Amino acid sequence: MSITDRLTDLPVLFHPLALSELDDAKRIAIAQIDAVLPQTQCGLCGHHDGCLPYAHGIVTGADAINLCVPGGQAVTDAIAKIMDVKPLPASQSKWRTDPATLRPIEVRAIISESDCIGCTKCIPACPVDAIIGTAKHMHSIITDLCTGCELCLAPCPVDCIDLVEYPRHIDDDERIEEQAHLRKRYHHHLNRVAKTIEDGTKPVVSIIESQMVNVLNSSDTPVIDETTAKNTIAAAKLRTQIKKLNKQLAARPSDDLTAKLDALNAQLAELESSP
């Protein structure tokens, strides 16, 4: 498959890019840039539809070459070379830079299964379908597929998903192969989302993940009852308030804030001790 052929069979949600209206040189540049982007589909560049729209924005002059946060300096320099422009400093990541790759250290999402209430809100948020689970059952994340995009964090009502560093070194060929696989999964994800919008049905995970969910639905998998779910949500909210109060007290001691903190801690202890 030629590099421009990659742009001829895109998900319907990418159609507004109007790639057919661009000349061959720009289409080739878009495909080349998309090929070097990490395919995390994280939206940190400002394009919440993923890496390809960012590549389109670069080539059409709408975006700077240095907005890919997870790609770091390595990807920014690669884009500069494709566009034949002067390199720029990469956008800063909150994660430390790996000096060997010039990229931010990779991260992966993990679910605290003891806190998960099986709400399924994180599943459709994952751009590569790396989360498996069904309603009222514990969810799990397939680490080998997770891109560390952080998109599953916000929808979680109980704050049970964390990001952990996942340092590794892979060669260029392995990275290209992995990115191609993630790109394919993302396009499959978008096509499925488009179909559910058209059909008015709920989104589902792919065939492979669905088969894995059947295993999770076995009798060994705990079912979360309504009371446990409500208590878990309440506890998560209390922990968030406690964190905020601790930060306020660290900056400015206050008897009133201390009293509120003690009361919240007592409520949390009561919830956690309840059956």
Side-chain angles (χ1 to χ4, degrees):
M1 179 183 290
S2 71
I3 196 164
T4 53
D5 286 340
R6 298 177 190 171
L7 304 180
T8 61
D9 187 25
L10 293 175
V12 66
L13 295 181
F14 277 155
H15 288 179
L17 291 178
L19 294 167
S20 61
E21 299 177 3
L22 301 176
D23 59 40
D24 287 346
K26 288 184 177 179
R27 285 165 57 85
I28 289 172
I30 289 172
Q32 289 176 329
I33 293 173
D34 186 54
V36 301
L37 290 172
Q39 303 305 313
T40 55
Q41 319 300 345
C42 60
L44 292 177
C45 61
H47 286 276
H48 300 294
D49 291 332
C51 296
L52 181 61
Y54 175 47
H56 180 275
I58 293 172
V59 173
T60 57
D63 293 304
I65 66 170
N66 63 340
L67 303 182
C68 180
V69 176
Q73 197 62 51
V75 167
T76 295
D77 290 348
I79 295 173
K81 185 175 181 180
I82 293 170
M83 295 296 293
D84 193 22
V85 297
K86 183 179 179 181
L88 295 173
S91 294
Q92 189 66 37
S93 170
K94 66 182 180 181
W95 302 99
R96 61 189 177 91
T97 300
D98 185 337
T101 64
L102 299 181
R103 300 168 182 257
I105 199 77
E106 291 188 39
V107 296
R108 296 291 184 267
I110 57 171
I111 293 178
S112 173
E113 295 187 355
S114 61
D115 294 327
C116 175
I117 60 172
C119 70
T120 74
K121 293 181 182 297
C122 59
I123 293 179
C126 179
V128 292
D129 298 329
I131 304 176
I132 56 176
T134 54
K136 297 186 178 180
H137 287 75
M138 304 299 180
H139 296 357
S140 297
I141 296 176
I142 306 172
T143 301
D144 288 343
L145 293 178
C146 176
T147 66
C149 68
E150 306 185 26
L151 296 177
C152 59
L153 301 184
C156 178
V158 294
D159 195 26
C160 71
I161 306 177
D162 292 305
L163 293 174
V164 296
E165 291 191 357
Y166 190 76
R168 61 174 186 152
H169 292 142
I170 58 177
D171 61 35
D172 291 341
D173 290 339
E174 290 174 315
R175 190 178 296 279
I176 291 173
E177 182 179 357
E178 181 181 85
Q179 289 174 176
H181 178 62
L182 291 173
R183 183 184 300 108
K184 183 177 180 180
R185 291 186 67 87
Y186 181 49
H187 289 182
H188 178 71
H189 172 86
L190 288 179
N191 279 327
R192 189 175 63 255
V193 169
K195 188 175 187 306
T196 60
I197 293 174
E198 181 181 349
D199 297 343
T201 57
K202 289 185 176 181
V204 295
V205 293
S206 66
I207 294 174
I208 295 176
E209 283 80 9
S210 296
Q211 292 172 345
M212 296 180 72
V213 167
N214 289 334
V215 175
L216 290 180
N217 283 337
S218 67
S219 58
D220 294 333
T221 306
V223 177
I224 305 167
D225 60 59
E226 184 178 353
T227 300
T228 300
K230 288 181 178 180
N231 287 345
T232 303
I233 293 173
K237 291 180 178 179
L238 285 172
R239 291 191 192 98
T240 300
Q241 294 177 54
I242 289 170
K243 287 180 183 178
K244 291 180 179 179
L245 282 176
N246 278 322
K247 289 181 180 180
Q248 293 174 10
L249 283 168
R252 179 175 57 86
S254 164
D255 291 339
D256 289 341
L257 292 180
T258 300
K260 288 181 181 179
L261 180 61
D262 290 341
L264 291 176
N265 278 320
Q267 292 179 43
L268 180 60
E270 184 178 352
L271 274 177
E272 291 179 336
S273 62
S274 62

